[in-house]
Amino acid sequence: MLPEPTFTFTIPSIHDDTTLDCRLYSPPHAVLNPTNGESAWSPRGAIVAHPYAPFGGCYDDGVVLSVAAEILKQGFVVGTFNFRGAASSKGKTSWQGKPETEDYSSFVGFFVHYLESLRDCGPRTRLSRTPDTTLPSIPSAYELSSLPHTTNCGGMKLIIAGYSYGSLITTFLPPIEDILQRFARVNKGTAEAEIRLRAVSLAAQWNKDALLYREAQQAQQTSSHEKLKVSTHAMTVAVGGEESDPGSRRASHEGRRSLDAVRRSMERSRKKLLRQHSSEVSEQTFVVESLLRMEVPPPQTHYLLISPLQPPISMFTTMFSNMRSGYLAQREAKFLNHPTLVIYGDKDFFTSQKKLRRWAESLKSKPNSLFQFYEVSGAGHFWREEGVGTQMRGFIREWIHHVAGSHPLTK
């Protein structure tokens, strides 16, 4: 199963600032920071979304944990999060699906910027001082210099996955380019800005630890007097609060505050900070504004759906709001243009085998389709039958090796 998460933290939803619980799981430092002539780790990650919250779905769901663990073994950074209303995430589950779609988009925006900051394309600039053990609220100038360059590194690989209700929201997601456009050149004080700052802060924390790992490994290789123990795994860090000064952030709310109110809040915060920390604020403002102007190229995106919901169940969970003519076909088009794997059981309680098979075969038969699927005999919606979980993980592993080109940690 999964190890302890590398980071446990929160981000605001770009829909209405609702606070969402999130986790990151990282492969060992030995994989992300290879030595001795090994090929460098290229940025790759996967997000796994959970089932319906009103029925107990959250990121601790057994299928979510099992899928995430299998992907982690293949050398991917893995992210999970709780939709609004799930576990300790704030807010309530909607009856439309749009807020949850934007919850997922929020985590996609965070995750891509986090992975981008983990790129390792050669020697990094060394830190000018001993790394702190605490996470700064805003990355300082020396931390930014420790971030890797982002050119000539090859494409990032991203798997966007969902199980049950999570697969339905995955289907509703707009194309990755549209999601990332919302995080390009964002304004300070917005949820998008907060998400980007948190992504860079956490990546900086990981990079600090990675530097210590590399130095300890080099010391072990050069020392002839004693052997040093080198940890190959990540630290576990819980992060609360927000990255920005509280005065510059919008409060969580059910409806968006007016633009004028946001501007007034930001202006008050700016004046307060200038009075208290004029020189420090000047440097940090430059850092923040530089971060918020950075644009991230779209990754090579793949989709993974486990036990996807089909009508009529999918209609009830969203009260038909996303079932208007042409909407689903438009959203499902991304499954044809990007490598997509669907896995379901022929004993699924919520959707008949006939309906699932007809839907999957229809998408697979489209011209130039990159869609493929596996039907697991004897498997129900919850994957509790003997042996079916092993089959599911095997299909995922095979697909990742073939399509995503992963470097597995174990055989």
Side-chain angles (χ1 to χ4, degrees):
M1 295 301 288
L2 281 171
E4 289 296 313
T6 308
F7 295 113
T8 300
F9 58 101
T10 61
I11 61 171
S13 173
I14 59 176
H15 180 70
D16 57 5
D17 280 316
T18 294
T19 302
L20 309 175
D21 293 329
C22 309
R23 289 174 178 169
L24 284 178
Y25 300 87
S26 300
H29 279 117
V31 176
L32 269 64
N33 299 275
T35 56
N36 299 325
E38 299 176 12
S39 59
W41 180 86
S42 59
R44 54 170 63 90
I47 306 169
V48 186
H50 65 75
Y52 200 42
F55 293 164
C58 68
Y59 57 22
D60 285 321
D61 176 84
V63 175
V64 170
L65 296 176
S66 179
V67 171
E70 185 58 48
I71 298 175
L72 182 67
K73 289 179 183 178
Q74 311 312 314
F76 281 65
V77 176
V78 177
T80 61
F81 69 99
N82 282 331
F83 288 113
R84 62 187 57 231
S88 55
S89 279
K90 303 300 183 182
K92 296 180 180 180
T93 302
S94 76
W95 288 103
Q96 298 83 32
K98 181 178 179 180
E100 286 79 7
T101 301
E102 298 217 313
D103 291 349
Y104 204 151
S105 295
S106 301
F107 193 78
V108 170
F110 162 83
F111 197 64
V112 170
H113 286 86
Y114 175 80
L115 288 179
E116 180 73 8
S117 298
L118 291 184
R119 283 179 180 268
D120 192 353
C121 306
R124 295 183 180 135
T125 304
R126 292 178 62 84
L127 299 180
S128 60
R129 56 178 176 175
T130 303
D132 300 323
T133 57
T134 58
L135 184 69
S137 60
I138 296 178
S140 66
Y142 87 88
E143 287 170 325
L144 288 180
S145 68
S146 73
L147 295 176
H149 299 290
T150 59
T151 57
N152 303 318
C153 306
M156 177 193 303
K157 292 183 174 67
L158 174 67
I159 297 175
I160 299 179
Y163 162 54
S164 188
Y165 179 77
S167 74
L168 182 63
I169 301 303
T170 301
T171 303
F172 292 160
L173 286 176
I176 187 70
E177 294 82 2
D178 293 353
I179 295 176
L180 294 182
Q181 188 60 40
R182 296 189 62 171
F183 292 88
R185 306 183 68 83
V186 299
N187 296 319
K188 289 185 292 182
T190 62
E192 290 85 351
E194 180 68 19
I195 288 169
R196 290 191 62 163
L197 291 174
R198 173 129 294 179
V200 175
S201 290
L202 294 181
Q205 183 75 6
W206 171 272
N207 290 337
K208 288 180 184 180
D209 197 57
L211 177 63
L212 294 177
Y213 165 78
R214 288 195 298 272
E215 290 179 344
Q217 194 174 49
Q218 291 171 0
Q220 179 176 343
Q221 293 171 353
T222 58
S223 175
S224 58
H225 303 290
E226 60 177 341
K227 290 187 177 181
L228 303 176
K229 288 186 177 180
V230 181
S231 172
T232 62
H233 291 276
M235 64 290 190
T236 299
V237 177
V239 181
E242 295 181 333
E243 299 298 326
S244 305
D245 178 82
S248 67
R249 282 285 293 126
R250 300 175 298 183
S252 295
H253 54 286
E254 294 301 321
R256 287 190 177 277
R257 287 166 51 184
S258 69
L259 182 59
D260 289 341
V262 173
R263 287 173 177 165
R264 288 195 298 270
S265 175
M266 292 175 63
E267 182 63 20
R268 288 195 298 269
S269 174
R270 186 185 69 83
K271 291 180 179 179
K272 178 181 178 181
L273 288 172
L274 287 175
R275 288 196 302 268
Q276 295 179 351
H277 310 287
S278 58
S279 60
E280 179 181 351
V281 168
S282 177
E283 177 183 355
Q284 291 193 342
T285 299
F286 172 78
V287 170
V288 172
E289 291 180 347
S290 298
L291 284 173
L292 301 185
R293 288 196 300 269
M294 293 170 56
E295 295 189 16
V296 175
Q300 301 174 25
T301 307
H302 312 75
Y303 295 94
L304 172 63
L305 308 181
I306 309 295
S307 299
L309 297 179
Q310 295 290 300
I313 294 296
S314 58
M315 295 180 177
F316 292 139
T317 58
T318 59
M319 293 300 288
F320 302 85
S321 63
N322 289 309
M323 300 301 166
R324 62 184 180 272
S325 177
Y327 180 86
L328 275 181
Q330 180 186 13
R331 293 305 193 187
E332 287 179 348
K334 63 179 178 287
F335 299 150
L336 308 178
N337 303 323
H338 298 271
T340 299
L341 175 65
V342 169
I343 305 176
Y344 64 88
D346 63 358
K347 305 298 183 184
D348 195 304
F349 176 79
F350 293 111
T351 309
S352 70
Q353 174 197 34
K354 182 178 180 180
K355 184 172 291 187
L356 281 168
R357 183 184 293 175
R358 184 169 59 245
W359 168 76
E361 288 179 343
S362 173
L363 291 178
K364 185 176 181 179
S365 64
K366 300 289 185 182
N368 303 315
S369 174
L370 298 178
F371 183 96
Q372 56 184 305
F373 69 95
Y374 288 108
E375 182 180 293
V376 179
S377 178
H381 189 82
F382 301 105
W383 298 89
R384 294 171 180 167
E385 296 79 10
E386 184 177 358
V388 298
T390 301
Q391 293 184 59
M392 176 185 64
R393 292 190 297 273
F395 289 138
I396 293 173
R397 182 166 57 250
E398 178 184 353
W399 178 70
I400 290 177
H401 289 175
H402 177 67
V403 177
S406 69
H407 297 166
L409 307 186
T410 60
K411 296 183 178 179

